[in-house]
């Protein structure tokens, strides 16, 4: 069951990574951060290049497809994170559980047991309850002042529908990427997958910059230490996740539930680092989701 601990570690790092993304985007544009942090991450894995060689030609297409999926997922997620509260994004990100479970059942023919079904129901319920404040479930606020304050807090966190759709699109593409990880790790090593997918990803972002003629302020971005931290986190997180995918007994449906442990990290960071509102409500939703995660892996 070592893969369970690896995926839990990935989930925690994932939560921290969303915080670092938000911080990095406060200083630089989305494409600047995406390109530079991906390039730095690739440079960090270069010493392991010798272990990445010898891959059969047919697998380059699979890794290239994964890179393109991640290329799209990160563009959507970074733009969503920049425009919405980090705690809200952290909870919306849980929707990838639904996408990944559907893919795992349809493509990999994974069977869902009773505990997994109950877990998914709870995860879905927690996500849906995000739209409603707990106080509204049990009646109106006791005082008009509290009601007015509640309305002000809700208005302060309203997000454009387009941004929400970007967050959901990112979740869908990340779920597809997770499925490709599982399929590719049956035949190639974690070193091969990490090296080549980062190389392809750098090429995709470079091509995007050239086609769109986006100006990149290299030296300004290099001075943004959050970008360096982000690069290190992606290397560590991807390595432990790839190792987990390569272990016998690991399951996409269960792994997807475990990855969401980082949602609590983003909610607490939203409250204490970014001074966001409705923390109690988000923690209430997260508690339901975490209960679903626990039941889902029983």
């Amino acid at each position: 069951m070592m893969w369970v601990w690896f995926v839990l570690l990935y989930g925690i790092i994932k939560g921290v990574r969303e915080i670092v993304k938000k911080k990095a985007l406060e200083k630089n544009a989305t494409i600047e951060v995406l390109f530079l942090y991906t390039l730095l991450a690739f440079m960090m894995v270069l010493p392991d290049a010798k272990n990445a060689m010898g891959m059969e030609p047919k697998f380059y297409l699979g890794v290239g497809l994964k890179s393109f999926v991640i290329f799209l997922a990160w563009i959507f997620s970074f733009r969503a994170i920049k425009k919405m509260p980090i705690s809200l994004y952290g909870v919306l990100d849980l929707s990838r559980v639904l996408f990944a479970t559907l893919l795992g059942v349809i493509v990999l023919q994974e069977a869902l047991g009773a505990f997994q079904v109950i877990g998914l129901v709870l995860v879905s319920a927690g996500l849906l309850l995000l739209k409603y404040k707990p106080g509204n479930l049990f009646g109106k606020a006791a005082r008009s002042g509290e009601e007015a304050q509640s309305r002000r807090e809700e208005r302060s966190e309203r997000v454009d529908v387009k941004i929400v759709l970007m967050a959901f699109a990112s979740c869908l593409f990340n779920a597809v990427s997770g499925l490709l990880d599982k399929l590719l790790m049956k035949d190639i090593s974690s070193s091969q997958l990490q090296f080549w997918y980062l190389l392809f990803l750098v090429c995709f972002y470079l091509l995007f910059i050239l086609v769109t003629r986006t100006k990149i302020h290299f030296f300004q971005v290099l001075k943004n230490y959050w970008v360096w931290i982000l690069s290190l986190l992606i290397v560590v997180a991807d390595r432990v996740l790839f190792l987990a995918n390569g272990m016998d007994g690991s399951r996409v449906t269960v792994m997807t539930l475990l990855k969401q442990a980082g949602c609590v990290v983003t909610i607490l960071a939203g409250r204490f680092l970014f001074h966001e509102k409705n923390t109690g409500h988000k923690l209430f939703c997260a508690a339901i989701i975490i209960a679903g995660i626990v039941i889902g892996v029983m």
Side-chain angles (χ1 to χ4, degrees), residues 1-12 14 66 93-105 108 110-112 115-116 119-120 123 174-186 190 193 237-263 289-290 292-298:
M1 295 293 285
M2 181 60 70
W3 63 270
V4 172
W5 296 108
F6 278 171
V7 180
L8 279 174
L9 175 60
Y10 170 84
I12 294 171
K14 178 176 172 293
K66 172 193 165 55
D93 188 56
L94 295 168
S95 64
R96 74 171 66 186
V97 172
L98 305 178
F99 295 124
T101 300
L102 183 62
L103 289 170
V105 172
L108 299 181
E110 291 188 350
L112 287 178
F115 287 120
Q116 282 74 50
L120 283 174
V123 169
N174 273 302
V176 173
S177 174
L179 174 64
L180 290 172
D181 287 345
K182 187 65 177 176
L183 295 173
L184 289 166
M185 285 301 297
K186 293 178 180 179
S190 58
L193 180 55
D238 278 352
R239 181 54 60 92
V240 297
L241 183 60
F242 294 158
L243 289 172
N245 271 295
M247 292 180 177
D248 293 334
S250 60
R251 298 177 56 196
V252 168
T253 48
V254 177
M255 290 175 71
T256 302
L257 290 170
L258 289 170
K259 290 176 187 178
Q260 310 317 313
C263 69
I289 293 168
I290 291 174
I293 292 172
V294 172
I295 294 173
V297 299
M298 289 178 65

Side-chain angles (χ1 to χ4, degrees), residues 150-169:
S150 176
R151 289 175 180 173
R152 284 195 296 270
E153 290 176 354
E154 288 174 1
R155 285 195 297 269
S156 69
E157 292 203 348
R158 283 180 182 171
V159 179
D160 190 275
V161 174
K162 292 181 180 179
I163 303 301
V164 175
L165 290 177
M166 283 185 183
F168 282 127

Side-chain angles (χ1 to χ4, degrees), residues 11-25:
I12 294 171
I13 295 176
K14 178 176 172 293
V16 174
R17 200 169 66 194
E18 308 303 348
I19 301 166
V20 177
K21 287 178 187 177
K22 187 81 170 177
K23 286 291 187 180
L25 290 168

